[in-house]
Amino acid sequence: MALVLGIESTCDETAAAVVENGRHVRSSVIASQVELHARYRGVVPEIASRAHIESILPVIQDALRQGQVTLEDVDAIAVTHRPGLIGSLLIGVTAAKTLAFAAGKPLIGVDHVQAHLYSVMLDSDIDVKFPAVGLAISGGHTALYSIRGFSDIQLIGATIDDAIGEAYDKVAFILGLGYPGGPIIDRLAKEGNPEAIRFPRTTLSRTSLDFSFSGLKTSVLYNVRGHKGIERTSADLSQQQIADVAASFQAACIDVVITKLKRAIRHVNAKSVIIGGGVSANQGLRAALAKLHVPVYLPRLSYCTDNAAMAAGLGYLHYQAGRSSTLDLDAITHSQLARA
Ligand code: KG4
Ligand code: ZN
């Protein structure tokens, strides 16, 4: 039996978890910063890194306590070291390095997006059929992957502008709803008519595996505020009209995602689809996935959004394969990764 302590601090959640053999989650502790960022309707990097500093040690201690283990008992320490906000990443990476050095444990750096995809394996006994198409959909990512194994993941398409979760959050703002907007729109969409407004489905060229959500977002803005963007506000809409916009926006997002998944399945000749990231919690999307003719693996709802169990799980695979990091492990931002 191998126990891995996972640490996650790439964005606005401080998280730690203990996972047994890469599958069984003994503990998963998440200190959410949602309330700190809600008034700014987005993550403020300086506030995030300060909050990580305050929470990181108590969160790690809680994860060890709830997992009924001590640092001595763990076999390795895994940390998501890319991609993310630099000030946020540094807190988790520094904590992981320090604990690994002090306790004499192997340190394992893992990729946050790959960890989101791995989260389908947590607390599950599925046996994934490869090659698979991977889809990472969150507030910071919208990307398709060809997956031949969790250590062999290649990018095949990505958003050229907004991430899908970002579009959800911005549309929620346009509609005068709270933050984060994804879960609120998902809930409202059930009460609205998805055919009330025909928002654009941007699929780019006929074969493109890339995504674009900025046109859809602007289209919602003009629909709600009038053609100059200043004629009305969401306060002028009835509850039913707001629900109709939410449902119609969600229908456009889902159509695009399903179209891209079908293209990617053909491109990869995939036997299955793996979806991870905050937007994979979306109930409307989960229902629409039945249209795909291959098995679709989704994380449990508690492992869709940022968590450290996914880091510990993927870290276990690296540990098993003898791939550990050194104390030189770097924190790597989105733009550094894009240039690499
Ligand atoms: O994975 P995550 O916690 O953080 C990133 O790595 O970005 O994802 C957060 C994003 C937010 O944009 C949030 O609005 C979205 O996931 N989200 C949802 C739902 N639950 C969370 N979007 C649509 N439907 C949901 N049910
Ligand atoms: Zn994430």
Side-chain angles (χ1 to χ4, degrees), residues 8 10-11 112-113 116 137-141 277-278 304-307 310:
E8 150 71 39
T10 58
C11 188
H112 178 82
V113 183
H116 265 307
I137 38 177
S138 71
H141 315 275
C304 287
T305 45
D306 287 350
N307 66 85
M310 64 186 195

Side-chain angles (χ1 to χ4, degrees), residues 155-213:
L155 183 71
I156 55 172
T159 181
I160 59 168
D161 42 56
D162 293 352
I164 184 168
E166 194 182 343
Y168 265 92
D169 295 337
K170 287 178 179 165
V171 164
F173 172 61
I174 295 167
L175 288 174
L177 307 170
Y179 172 87
I184 305 172
I185 291 188
D186 194 13
R187 206 166 48 241
L188 273 179
K190 293 196 185 98
E191 289 147 34
N193 173 7
E195 288 165 14
I197 307 142
R198 178 78 194 172
F199 287 124
R201 275 77 169 146
T202 310
T203 51
L204 304 168
S205 75
R206 289 180 82 79
T207 54
S208 172
L209 295 173
D210 290 332
F211 296 84
S212 165
F213 290 101

